[in-house]
């Protein structure tokens, strides 16, 4: 009667033995099947099962609650069958699974019920003695207790409340325990430094679920400077119970330390002290500077550490060791460092040392050192002399530097640590300026530094200057000595200045810029240039040169004016001089004549390093007396019918001899022989003749050639040397044509349909031409408007000589508007400005008519096609539903009538009044109201039809209306239908229904479809829309398959097939095999979010179907082993709009749309004789399938716990379900078997219950 097992032992199995207590040797005549069922005490009491009289007292009840997750044992039934006839009964063992729950709890128990399954042998088996036994579960969980930290530190800052934390871990407790905690003084005293409320030892209660205990106390602040003070807190009287507390490895005693928060500052009273080397001794004060005054605990002794450093060493002062200390005790707040300075007779300069405060013992958390450094300068009193040796220096400019010597002249440096920095600074002198080396200045403005010490008593310093390549006089500069700002006292500089002379070494060359010059006799003068050809003259430097001329073949004062000893002076600002020599002109024809010029120095002796080269040049004089012949004028114009043109030649200049020229014509655009007669004629001018003429014959024709041109040129006959050709050596003659051609449209009338790309107009040329001729083409509005109906053109057409016609294409605008049947525009021809060879014929204008090609379809928009009977007024709106983007143009009006017609619904269910709809450019949607009658009759879903009829239009566009529209009235008198538009599909499919009498406003019908690994199944099959899902296993060896891809086929508003795919990996979406993040075209939209994809497609029922494909990762319980939880990736498919499209829809989801689902509560016995509660009889009445009934349970799900209450109808693949009666079949919730919905490919729509596809995806 009593079985016991401890959690975590015996493989978590409770072994129960069933044996025969009487007639052990009986022989079985048939099979005997036994069943044991573990039950909670609550289940046993609810079922009314009696227990044996000697049943042990019940301990704490074990739990089986799958909703909260608190499960202590597996409550599944166990069966055993004794098979072979003739065998004696023996002991039968049953193993019941126990769960190790990691919870500290009391020992628990449950009831184990024994039953005989076989009805035939049940009367012969007596179980009344022990038909129930007690199963006990002993807890094995251990609690660990200890402080969170081994040490706590709290600041002494105000009256603060503090606490230490005691942790209870290792498991969660469901019991109550008591524990003592006590505090003990250390250097911190209770009541002075801290305060424990109440007794120092306190008792705490650990309650179920509690994992932390807080031990509070207060910290007391004072104004006394003191050390860190501590006390301890310990755990006592730890209960030894089962399960017991465990302290091994935990912290049972912790130390609490109080950090003094008295902030104080220790520092030097002086930061800088200057003393003479012979000062002897002096004191440096170190004190507590803040707060002032400060109270120091008399019992507090602490030491401050300081260190020494600097250029002064141990021989110069003491204390000078690396680290030293000062002691503060007996409440003092100031102490001193006594310093002794050593007075020697060595030159050391000023030496420095510093003391630095760097630490304290013991430590104070709020101690700072400020100022923490003091500096002492020891002023030396010994002298030394440094100066130049020698003080005067001379150097050539090309050397670029001068080496000067600076040395210790008197005294010596004996201290190896002593260094003297001396600065050498150049100073400008005569002719010397500072510069940067870029062509300006003579020396760098640079300071040179030399350092003297024990081993360096003399320095050679290179002072840099510029070699400037400038011819100049000797220059001078100076160098001064000075000390740096930090130099030692006692340093004398003497002599402190040196002088430097720089001798110039740069050559200069002066000469003629050219060795020869040429000049025309008529020019009037010859200009000769004398320049500094190399080198540079420096500032203040001058060189004098004399310029003189000498005769040659040219005679002085006849051909030129002589020059003798003209002074030319060159300096830094004058480097080039132009000398002008007068040329004397006559009217005598002469040969080339020459004379020369030369240079000499104006001073004696000549300047050094200056050379004259070249010192002579030759001047050539060219005679300028000539005779010219040229055309005058040099251009002529003649009409084609004038016969000839006369060309005039003019002679310029005097001569006593005859001169001749040759006149020759040459083709340009005019051709000799057809447009004029060529000429090649020698024309002779006798002495005294100044003009001559030449005649050229012009030929006439009947062809338009435009303006043509030929030229006549001048040349000299062979041997003619007495004349030259003038500037007008060519004359141009233009022949003006007197012929024209004509242009017109052929034909002059055109017609084009709006949907065509363009209309082609033909322009024809009449008459001949040998040159291109132009005509202007332009369009003008008629009833058709430029930019709205056609593209305007203004263009100049160019016709080649042999071209007789030309086509012009005018683009027609297909504007997607219903317009007038006929509109027109005009095209015109005109003669362009400047065109002389064109005229316009009789057909100068073409008329183009545009025939409209746009039509519209009037149909339903934005309306609900399925309404409840109590809707009252149903508003039906109609408008342009196609083609896409087509509108009604201004001035056009469309009239359509709307007429309700009976179907299964008659005029008792709706009003049948006919109504008129009017549409124009400002009104593309018109609505009418239809009254739906709400009666009290329980009826099937009924339908009636809305018929549209085209009445008339103004100006007659192409108008069609959509076909009859079916309206569904859903009865509200007894039938249960959907109340929202959301359905969810994954391994658990939830269909929303309305159940009268439920407390919940919404409830869903739930069933499971796990498919087969790697297979495709149809979810929705409707007119124009199909949705398939692909299933895959969540894990090998687990019989749960989930959706990992969804495929949607839909027909868009342009009657095109669109195929949409969403994959679980990456939640990627594609449209027609192209990956997209956003797609919107022809009423199909796809938008990808982070972990979901929204899809909206039109349906042939004029209602959009809106879906979400949600890519999720969530824990899933293995149905075969509820202890195994798998982190699964899967797709949840959700329909959020468009469910009630048609009661004839099918698929694993859509077969429940718009159909009756009756639900009746059921509390009774199922077919196994088990009393069931919270069950329901669900009847599904699909119009295309037999009525199906089954029993479903409430709330209990095997897939997951949904927030919405659920009538669960099946444990996998749409069934099997509990039978409605012993005579009924075992109906699944879906029609047929789940395999009937299998398809072979992702977008396949052919399966057993497929709906005929009316869209373009299945033509």
């Amino acid at each position: 009667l009593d079985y016991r097992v401890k959690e975590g032992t015996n493989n978590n199995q409770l072994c129960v033995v069933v044996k025969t207590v009487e007639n052990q040797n009986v022989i079985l005549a048939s099979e005997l099947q036994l069943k044991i069922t573990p039950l909670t005490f609550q289940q046993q009491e609810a079922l009314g099962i009696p227990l044996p009289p000697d049943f042990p007292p019940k301990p704490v009840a074990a739990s089986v609650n799958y909703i909260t997750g608190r499960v202590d044992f597996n409550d599944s039934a166990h069966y055993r069958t004794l098979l072979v006839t003739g065998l004696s009964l023996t002991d039968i063992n049953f193993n019941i699974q126990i769960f190790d729950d990691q919870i500290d709890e009391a020992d628990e128990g449950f009831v184990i019920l024994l039953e005989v399954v076989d009805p035939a042998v049940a009367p012969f088996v007596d179980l009344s003695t022990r038909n129930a036994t007690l199963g006990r579960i002993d807890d094995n969980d251990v609690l660990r207790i200890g402080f969170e930290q081994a040490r706590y530190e709290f600041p002494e800052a105000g009256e603060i409340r503090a606490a230490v934390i005691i942790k209870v871990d290792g498991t969660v407790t469901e019991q109550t325990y008591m524990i003592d905690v006590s505090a003990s003084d250390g250097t911190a005293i209770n009541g002075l430094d801290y305060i424990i409320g109440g007794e120092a030892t306190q008792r705490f209660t650990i309650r179920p679920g509690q994992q932390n205990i807080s031990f509070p106390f207060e910290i007391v602040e004072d104004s006394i400077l003191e050390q860190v003070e501590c006390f301890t807190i310990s755990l006592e009287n730890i209960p030894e119970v089962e399960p017991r507390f465990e302290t091994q490895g935990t912290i049972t005693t912790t130390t609490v330390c109080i950090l003094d928060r008295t902030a104080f500052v220790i520092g030097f009273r002086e930061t800088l002290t200057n003393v003479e080397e012979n000062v002897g001794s002096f004191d440096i004060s170190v004190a507590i500077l803040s707060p002032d005054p400060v109270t120091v605990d008399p019992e507090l002794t602490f030491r401050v550490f300081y260190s020494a450093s600097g250029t002064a060493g141990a021989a110069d002062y003491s204390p000078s060791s690396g680290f030293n200390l000062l002691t503060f005790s007996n409440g003092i707040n100031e102490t001193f460092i006594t310093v002794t300075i050593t007075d020697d007779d060595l030159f050391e300069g000023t030496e420095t040392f510093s003391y630095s405060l760097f630490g304290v013992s013991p430590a104070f958390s709020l101690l700072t050192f400020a100022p923490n450094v003091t500096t002492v300068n020891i002023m030396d009193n010994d002298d030394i002399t440094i100066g130049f040796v020698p003080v005067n220096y001379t150097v050539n400019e090309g050397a670029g530097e001068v080496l000067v010597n600076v040395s210790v002249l008197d005294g010596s440096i004996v201290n190896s640590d002593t260094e003297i920095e001396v600065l050498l600074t150049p100073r400008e002198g005569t002719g010397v300026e500072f510069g940067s080396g870029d062509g300006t200045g003579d020396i760098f403005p640079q300071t040179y530094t030399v350092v003297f010490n024990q081993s360096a008593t003399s320095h050679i310093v290179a002072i840099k200057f510029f070699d400037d390549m400038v011819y100049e006089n000797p220059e001078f500069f100076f160098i001064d000595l000075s000390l740096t700002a930090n130099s030692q006292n006692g340093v004398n500089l003497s002599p402190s200045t040196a002088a430097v002379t720089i001798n110039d070494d740069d050559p200069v060359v002066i000469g003629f810029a050219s060795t020869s010059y040429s000049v025309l006799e008529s020019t009037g003068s010859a200009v000769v240039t004398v320049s500094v050809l190399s080198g540079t003259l420096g500032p203040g430097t001058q060189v004098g040169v004399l310029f003189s001329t000498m005769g040659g073949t040219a005679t002085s004062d006849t051909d030129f004016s002589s020059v003798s000893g003209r002074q030319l002076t060159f300096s830094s600002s004058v480097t080039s001089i132009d000398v002008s020599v007068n040329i004397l002109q006559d009217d005598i024809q002469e040969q080339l004549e020459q004379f020369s010029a030369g240079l000499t120095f104006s001073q004696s002796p000549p300047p050094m390093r200056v050379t004259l080269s070249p010192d002579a040049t030759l001047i050539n004089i060219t005679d300028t007396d000539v005779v010219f012949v040229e055309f005058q004028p040099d251009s002529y114009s003649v009409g084609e019918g004038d016969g000839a043109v006369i060309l005039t030649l003019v002679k310029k200049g005097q001569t006593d001899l005859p001169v001749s020229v040759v006149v020759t014509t040459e083709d340009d655009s005019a051709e000799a022989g057809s447009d004029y007669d060529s000429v090649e004629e020698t024309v002779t001018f006798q002495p005294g003749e100044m003009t001559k003429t030449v005649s050229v014959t012009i030929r006439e024709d009947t062809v338009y050639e435009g303006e043509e041109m030929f030229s006549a040129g001048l040349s000299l006959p062979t041997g003619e040397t007495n004349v030259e050709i003038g500037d007008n050596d060519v004359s141009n003659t233009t022949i003006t044509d007197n012929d024209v051609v004509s242009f017109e449209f052929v034909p002059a009338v055109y017609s084009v349909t709006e949907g065509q790309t363009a209309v082609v107009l033909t322009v024809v040329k009449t008459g001949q031409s040998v040159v291109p001729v132009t005509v202007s083409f332009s369009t003008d509005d008629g009833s058709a408007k430029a930019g709205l109906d056609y593209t305007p053109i203004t263009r100049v057409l160019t016709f080649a000589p042999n071209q007789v016609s030309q086509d012009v294409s005018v683009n027609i605008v297909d504007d997607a508007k219903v317009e007038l049947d006929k509109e027109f525009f005009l095209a015109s021809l005109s003669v362009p400005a400047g065109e002389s060879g064109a005229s316009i014929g009789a057909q100068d204008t073409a008329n183009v008519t545009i025939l409209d090609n746009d039509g519209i379809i009037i149909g339903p928009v934005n309306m609900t096609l399925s309404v409840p009977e109590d809707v009252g007024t149903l508003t039906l709106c109609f408008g342009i539903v196609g083609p896409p983007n087509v509108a009604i143009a201004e001035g056009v009006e469309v009239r359509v009538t709307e007429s309700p017609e009976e179907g299964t619904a008659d005029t008792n269910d709706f009003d049948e009044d006919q109504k008129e709809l009017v549409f124009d450019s400002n009104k593309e949607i018109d609505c009418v109201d239809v009254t739906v009658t709400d009666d009290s009759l329980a009826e099937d879903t009924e339908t009636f039809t809305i018929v549209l009829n085209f009445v008339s239009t103004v100006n007659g566009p192409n108008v069609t209306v959509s076909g009859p529209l079916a309206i569904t009235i859903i009865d509200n008198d007894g039938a249960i239908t959907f109340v929202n538009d959301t359905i969810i599909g994954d391994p658990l499919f939830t269909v929303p229904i309305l159940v009268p009498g439920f407390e919940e406003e919404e409830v869903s019908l739930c069933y499971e479809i796990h498919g087969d690994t790697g297979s495709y199944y149809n979810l929705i099959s409707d007119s124009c829309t199909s949705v398939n899902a692909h299933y895959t296993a969540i894990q090998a060896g687990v019989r749960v398959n989930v959706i990992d891809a969804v495929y949607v086929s839909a027909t868009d508003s342009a009657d095109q097939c669109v195929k949409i795919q969403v994959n679980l990996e990456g939640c990627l979406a594609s449209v027609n095999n192209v990956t997209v993040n956003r797609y919107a075209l022809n009423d199909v939209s796809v938008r990808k979010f982070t972990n979901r994809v929204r899809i909206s497609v039109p349906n042939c029922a004029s209602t959009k179907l809106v879906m979400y494909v949600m890519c999720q990762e969530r824990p899933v319980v293995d149905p075969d082993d509820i202890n195994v939880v798998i982190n699964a990736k899967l797709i949840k498919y959700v329909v959020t709009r468009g469910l009630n499209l048609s009661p004839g829809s099918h698929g694993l989801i859509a077969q429940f749309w718009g159909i009756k689902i009756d639900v009746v509560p059921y509390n009774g016995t199922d077919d196994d004789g088990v009393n069931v509660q919270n069950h329901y009889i669900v009847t599904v009445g699909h119009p295309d399938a037999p009525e199906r009934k089954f029993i479903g349970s409430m709330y209990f799900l095997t897939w997951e716990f949904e927030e919405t209450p659920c009538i669960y109808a099946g444990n996998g693949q749409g069934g099997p379900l509990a039978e409605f009666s012993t005579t009924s079949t075992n109906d699944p919730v879906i029609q047929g078997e789940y395999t009937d919905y299998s398809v072979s490919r992702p977008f396949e729509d052919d399966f057993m219950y497929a709906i005929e596809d009316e869209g373009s995806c299945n033509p």
Side-chain angles (χ1 to χ4, degrees), residues 168-469:
V168 180
D169 58 12
T171 184
V172 177
T173 181
E174 288 185 346
Q175 303 190 77
T176 300
Y177 302 101
M178 306 299 291
I179 187 171
D180 292 338
V181 182
S182 64
S184 301
D185 288 346
T187 54
I189 307 300
N190 187 5
L192 295 179
D193 301 300
Y194 70 97
I195 298 174
I196 299 294
E199 298 296 330
T201 299
Q202 298 183 19
R203 174 157 295 183
F204 291 88
T205 301
I206 302 175
R207 294 181 173 84
Q210 185 173 2
Q211 292 187 296
N212 290 303
I213 301 172
S214 175
F215 183 78
F217 51 87
E218 292 184 6
I219 304 297
V220 179
E221 182 184 26
D222 55 36
S223 60
I224 301 173
L225 179 62
E226 52 196 351
Q227 300 182 37
V228 175
E229 298 171 314
C230 301
F231 65 98
T232 59
I233 301 175
S234 303
L235 301 181
E236 299 179 356
N237 299 329
I238 299 175
E240 294 294 338
V241 296
E242 185 65 38
R244 67 185 182 279
F245 278 105
E246 184 177 278
T247 58
Q248 184 177 358
T250 66
I251 303 170
T252 58
T253 298
T254 185
T255 300
V256 179
C257 293
I258 303 171
L259 307 180
D260 187 38
R261 300 299 292 177
T262 303
F264 67 105
V265 178
I266 294 178
F268 292 103
R269 289 197 183 275
E270 301 292 339
T271 58
L272 177 63
T273 304
N274 295 319
V275 298
E276 296 292 336
E277 191 179 59
N278 58 358
V279 69
S281 298
F282 64 97
D283 291 333
I284 296 176
S285 171
V286 179
I288 301 175
L289 303 179
S290 176
D292 188 15
V294 63
T295 300
V296 181
D297 187 347
E299 297 182 0
L300 174 62
T301 297
F302 62 93
R303 293 173 178 81
V304 175
F305 298 94
Y306 68 95
S307 61
S309 61
T311 58
D316 300 301
Y317 73 102
S318 68
S320 60
S321 60
F323 300 102
N324 303 277
L325 59 86
L326 298 170
T327 299
F328 286 80
S329 62
N330 299 321
I332 66 170
N333 59 4
E334 183 175 20
T335 187
F336 300 91
I337 303 173
T338 299
V339 183
T340 300
I341 304 299
T342 302
D343 185 13
D344 56 30
D345 57 358
L346 302 176
F347 177 79
E348 301 163 305
T350 298
E351 295 177 305
T352 299
F353 67 92
S354 298
Y355 289 130
S356 300
L357 304 178
F358 66 90
V360 64
S361 176
F364 293 90
S365 60
L366 296 182
L367 168 64
T368 55
F369 294 114
N372 67 323
V373 177
T374 187
T375 301
V376 178
N377 293 324
I378 305 173
M379 315 301 292
D380 192 38
N381 54 2
D382 300 301
D383 293 339
I384 192 169
T385 300
I386 298 174
F388 285 109
V389 178
V391 296
N392 294 307
Y393 298 87
T394 300
V395 66
N396 288 333
E397 185 182 71
E401 64 181 15
V402 59
L403 302 178
V404 299
N405 179 42
V406 183
S407 300
V408 176
L409 303 180
D410 184 24
S412 61
I413 302 172
V414 297
N415 193 337
S416 61
D417 296 332
T418 300
E419 291 186 343
I420 303 173
E421 288 187 353
V422 178
L423 304 179
L424 289 79
T425 305
R427 174 163 48 89
E428 295 175 337
T430 304
V432 174
E433 297 178 347
F434 288 129
S436 59
D438 57 357
T440 62
D442 301 286
I443 59 175
F444 291 99
Q446 176 181 351
T447 297
Y448 301 82
T449 303
V450 294
V451 178
F452 292 88
N453 53 37
Q454 190 177 28
S455 60
T457 60
S458 180
H459 294 278
I460 302 298
V461 184
I463 306 299
K464 303 292 182 180
F465 54 81
F466 304 136
D467 183 8
D468 54 12
M469 305 301 293

Side-chain angles (χ1 to χ4, degrees), residues 51 57 123 144 230 235 276 372 554 561 585 680 768 807 817 853 859 909 942 969 1023 1167:
L51 298 178
R144 291 166 53 84
C230 301
L235 301 181
E276 296 292 336
N372 67 323
S561 298
Q585 187 175 10
E680 185 172 2
Q768 295 183 339
D807 292 335
K817 287 188 176 181
N853 69 331
D909 299 301
E942 298 174 311
I969 302 175
S1023 56
D1167 288 343

Side-chain angles (χ1 to χ4, degrees), residues 941 970-971 975-980 992-995 1154-1157:
T941 298
I970 302 173
D971 190 56
I976 299 173
T977 58
F978 298 124
V979 294
N980 60 46
I993 59 175
L994 177 64
V995 180
I1155 66 170
K1156 292 182 179 180
I1157 301 179

Side-chain angles (χ1 to χ4, degrees), residues 899-1054:
S899 302
E901 295 185 0
E902 295 182 349
T904 55
D906 56 23
T907 56
N908 294 319
D909 299 301
F910 62 93
D911 75 84
E912 58 179 349
D913 294 340
Q914 186 183 84
K915 302 173 182 65
E916 185 175 69
L917 306 168
V918 179
F919 307 92
D920 56 30
S921 61
N922 296 317
K923 184 180 179 184
E924 295 188 353
I925 295 178
D926 198 5
C927 301
V928 297
D929 290 335
V930 176
T931 301
V932 177
T933 303
D934 185 11
D935 56 33
S936 59
L937 302 176
E939 305 166 296
D940 290 334
T941 298
E942 298 174 311
T943 61
F944 66 95
T945 304
I946 299 297
V947 178
L948 299 180
N949 293 295
F950 174 61
V951 178
S952 66
T953 62
V954 177
N955 300 321
N958 179 19
V959 178
T960 58
V961 296
S962 61
L965 181 66
I967 304 297
T968 300
I969 302 175
I970 302 173
D971 190 56
N972 63 346
D973 303 303
I976 299 173
T977 58
F978 298 124
V979 294
N980 60 46
D981 225 16
T982 300
I983 188 167
I984 299 174
D986 53 13
L988 184 71
F989 287 66
T990 59
V991 179
I993 59 175
L994 177 64
V995 180
F998 269 47
E999 294 180 359
E1000 294 82 2
E1001 294 181 358
E1002 296 181 2
V1003 68
S1004 294
L1005 172 64
C1006 301
Y1007 58 99
E1008 293 183 52
I1009 298 293
H1010 291 276
D1012 293 316
T1013 301
S1015 297
Y1016 301 90
Y1017 293 89
N1018 180 268
L1019 303 181
I1020 299 173
S1021 177
D1022 207 333
S1023 56
C1024 297
T1025 305
S1026 176
V1027 180
N1028 293 339
H1030 180 265
Y1031 282 80
T1032 186
I1034 60 172
Q1035 182 173 298
V1038 178
R1039 64 177 181 88
V1040 175
N1041 297 316
V1042 294
I1043 298 173
D1044 68 347
V1046 171
Y1047 306 88
V1048 180
S1049 300
T1051 301
D1052 66 14
S1053 58

Side-chain angles (χ1 to χ4, degrees), residues 1068-1096:
L1068 297 179
S1070 65
V1071 178
N1072 294 333
N1073 292 322
V1074 177
T1075 300
V1076 298
N1077 285 327
R1078 182 174 292 187
Y1079 174 91
L1081 183 66
N1082 298 330
D1083 291 332
V1084 172
S1085 70
V1086 178
R1087 183 174 182 183
K1088 182 185 183 302
F1089 299 91
T1090 302
N1091 59 355
R1092 68 185 190 280
V1093 177
R1094 181 186 184 276
I1095 303 172
S1096 175

Side-chain angles (χ1 to χ4, degrees), residues 74-107:
N74 190 334
D75 61 349
S76 300
H78 297 262
Y79 297 86
R80 291 290 187 274
T81 303
L82 304 182
L83 298 175
V84 181
T85 302
L87 292 181
S88 298
L89 295 178
T90 58
D91 293 350
I92 305 170
N93 294 332
F94 293 86
N95 287 324
I96 299 173
Q97 185 179 9
I98 303 301
F99 297 110
D100 189 358
D101 55 12
Q102 301 297 312
I103 299 174
D104 169 33
E105 57 197 344
D107 295 344

